Amino acid sequence: MKTIRLLAFLFTGTILLASCSSDDDNPDPVNEEELITRVTVTLSTEGEEDVTLEFADESGLGHDHDEEEEGSEEDHDHLEGTVSGPLKPNTTYTGSISLLNESVSPADDITEEVKEEADEHQFFYQNIDGLDITNFTYTDAESDYIEDGSDNPVGLSFTLTTGAASHGDLRIVLRHQPVKPNTGLEDAGGETDMDISFHVDIE
């Protein structure tokens, strides 16, 4: 079972693995952890240029923030990405998200890891701070990616519909081993693999 985590945790896991190897001939299994260096969300609607939401950190998602003296778990959990342009009001967009590890060549597509473990992952999308998104719908399910998968959503693809002109944040959270089905982040549980906000304008 793989866990998509931050570089800092990757280093920790490596150290622990080395330690166990020298002291124990039969060490307990250690989760393989993945590094995310780029998150890209593409929003498309007919007749308009795609809007891209992007977060990139060549050291690994959140790594530099963990090392900041004033950093905290709370700060780390609210990273902010960039947005290529505004969304149109009262418009439905189709969305997709991709995760890459560009610290290796060729880049490792972490999105495929999520697909392979679709039953252990779910993305959550929240509009906050006044951003008027009137509807959000998952358009994929575990069964799209894994044999005998359920109809529970994964969130690699979705639609969202904007409301009136407004400004605010779109928060995207990836949970590992959430409770499924759930009604949202509040009762999903699991571990947070990523938590990024994008300041979005609807105009």
Side-chain angles (χ1 to χ4, degrees):
M1 177 172 57
K2 297 178 180 179
T3 303
I4 300 170
R5 297 297 296 168
L6 312 182
L7 182 60
F9 294 110
L10 178 65
F11 288 157
T12 303
T14 302
I15 292 170
L16 289 174
L17 179 60
S19 175
C20 289
S21 297
S22 61
D23 297 333
D24 188 348
D25 292 336
N26 298 295
D28 293 333
V30 176
N31 286 343
E32 182 179 349
E33 296 167 340
E34 300 290 352
L35 174 66
I36 301 171
T37 63
R38 184 176 297 274
V39 178
T40 304
V41 179
T42 303
L43 301 175
S44 304
T45 192
E46 187 174 354
E48 299 289 342
E49 187 173 343
D50 288 355
V51 175
T52 303
L53 289 61
E54 192 162 59
F55 178 89
D57 185 340
E58 63 181 9
S59 298
L61 191 61
H63 176 66
D64 289 343
H65 305 269
D66 286 342
E67 296 184 345
E68 291 174 357
E69 184 176 350
E70 297 180 358
S72 65
E73 186 66 20
E74 182 176 354
D75 290 336
H76 156 77
D77 281 344
H78 292 87
L79 306 175
E80 185 168 339
T82 60
V83 182
S84 65
L87 300 179
K88 296 293 183 182
N90 304 310
T91 302
T92 297
Y93 288 83
T94 59
S96 62
I97 185 167
S98 69
L99 312 174
L100 292 176
N101 172 12
E102 297 177 320
S103 69
V104 297
S105 182
D108 190 9
D109 188 354
I110 305 301
T111 312
E112 293 301 317
E113 303 279 354
V114 175
K115 291 179 180 178
E116 292 170 4
E117 299 181 343
D119 57 335
E120 297 182 3
H121 293 91
Q122 185 175 348
F123 289 90
F124 296 88
Y125 299 81
Q126 293 182 325
N127 50 309
I128 55 179
D129 297 335
L131 184 66
D132 190 7
I133 293 178
T134 59
N135 186 57
F136 175 88
T137 303
Y138 290 103
T139 56
D140 64 353
E142 295 172 10
S143 56
D144 293 325
Y145 308 118
I146 57 176
E147 188 175 358
D148 298 327
S150 75
D151 291 333
N152 289 322
V154 180
L156 287 167
S157 63
F158 57 90
T159 63
L160 67 79
T161 301
T162 59
S166 56
H167 311 277
D169 287 351
L170 176 62
R171 181 189 182 199
I172 303 176
V173 178
L174 174 60
R175 285 282 173 86
H176 179 234
Q177 294 185 327
V179 174
K180 291 188 178 183
N182 56 66
T183 61
L185 274 175
E186 292 73 17
D187 64 348
E191 296 181 34
T192 299
D193 282 345
M194 64 169 245
D195 187 343
I196 302 174
S197 293
F198 299 88
H199 188 76
V200 175
D201 298 318
I202 300 175
E203 58 186 40

